[in-house]
Amino acid sequence: MFFYTRKKITLLCAVLLCLIHGPVSADSRVVSIGIAATDGAVTFSFESNQLGGLEHATVYTTLGKDKLEYVKFLREFDILLVLRVPHSGEGGNLRKIKIGMYDEQLRQLAQKINADGRRVTIRVLPEFNGHWYSWSVYNKDNNPADFIPAWRHIVEVLRAETKLVRFDLNYNRFSSEGGRTNDFASLYPG
């Protein structure tokens, strides 16, 4: 019986992709293989080298709480910045986003991105179709109808402040209202 760690699985996926598609040139950007960089830039560089030179680092940040840690990463890595919103007490966080409660923090994030000068992909409100985060559609404090305006609001604020961002829509594999549902189309923000 074989036991696989996350690193072994990532390496196996990288090898399989190369076997299926052949080597991916840095210019084509057809496939980018990376890992979460939760242990910082030095550890990520070491792990990347062990796994054969990964192309992107997934870095997490919470508006208003975390420093923008990705600036510590070498410029050779593409950055996928997972944008989280802090719990803001009572009331729906999605409603608070859509009315602008986090606009100043979003503008500050955009200023930091501009200062760094590298193009960044931002994963806005990851796994939003669950119930476990304060921005989750099915969190008891949120209304699913507030998701699309909230997601679009974040995108609009960041686009108004910087041209160095792309956006990533990240569903969980199933929605959590009353069990496993597939309401992906109704939550698509466009």
Side-chain angles (χ1 to χ4, degrees):
M1 177 173 273
F2 293 101
F3 295 96
Y4 291 100
T5 64
R6 180 182 74 172
K7 290 178 188 176
K8 287 180 183 176
I9 290 170
T10 303
L11 181 59
L12 179 61
C13 290
V15 169
L16 288 173
L17 281 170
C18 285
L19 290 173
I20 293 168
H21 295 288
V24 178
S25 73
D27 295 329
S28 69
R29 297 287 183 211
V30 174
V31 175
S32 177
I33 300 170
I35 57 175
T38 54
D39 293 329
V42 173
T43 302
F44 179 83
S45 293
F46 176 75
E47 290 177 349
S48 173
N49 287 335
Q50 280 189 317
L51 294 171
L54 302 177
E55 295 178 348
H56 78 258
T58 302
V59 183
Y60 295 78
T61 192
T62 302
L63 282 178
K65 292 194 175 188
D66 296 339
K67 298 175 184 173
L68 199 57
E69 294 294 325
Y70 83 81
V71 299
K72 295 178 181 176
F73 286 76
L74 297 174
R75 295 239 175 236
E76 65 197 53
F77 298 121
D78 290 337
I79 301 297
L80 172 62
L81 187 64
V82 180
L83 182 62
R84 300 178 295 192
V85 179
H87 189 327
S88 60
E90 268 188 53
N93 219 354
L94 291 175
R95 183 181 54 78
K96 291 175 182 176
I97 292 168
K98 80 176 190 177
I99 64 170
M101 181 173 172
Y102 299 103
D103 286 5
E104 185 54 36
Q105 294 164 338
L106 288 166
R107 287 186 191 97
Q108 289 171 4
L109 173 63
Q111 290 170 4
K112 291 176 183 178
I113 290 169
N114 285 335
D116 181 61
R118 118 180 56 177
R119 193 163 173 85
V120 177
T121 300
I122 298 180
R123 178 172 289 164
V124 178
L125 308 176
E127 297 184 1
F128 59 86
N129 60 320
H131 66 276
W132 41 88
Y133 294 121
S134 65
W135 60 82
S136 293
V137 168
Y138 299 115
N139 179 297
K140 65 180 175 49
D141 293 328
N142 287 322
N143 180 339
D146 290 334
F147 170 71
I148 291 174
W151 198 91
R152 287 180 180 172
H153 183 79
I154 290 172
V155 169
E156 289 168 3
V157 170
L158 289 171
R159 279 188 177 152
E161 299 292 326
T162 182
K163 303 298 181 213
L164 296 174
V165 291
R166 295 175 286 219
F167 296 95
D168 178 75
L169 181 64
N170 177 242
Y171 290 88
N172 190 47
R173 68 185 180 279
F174 59 86
S175 293
S176 65
E177 182 181 37
R180 296 175 184 239
T181 61
N182 291 319
D183 57 353
F184 300 146
S186 67
L187 296 174
Y188 180 67

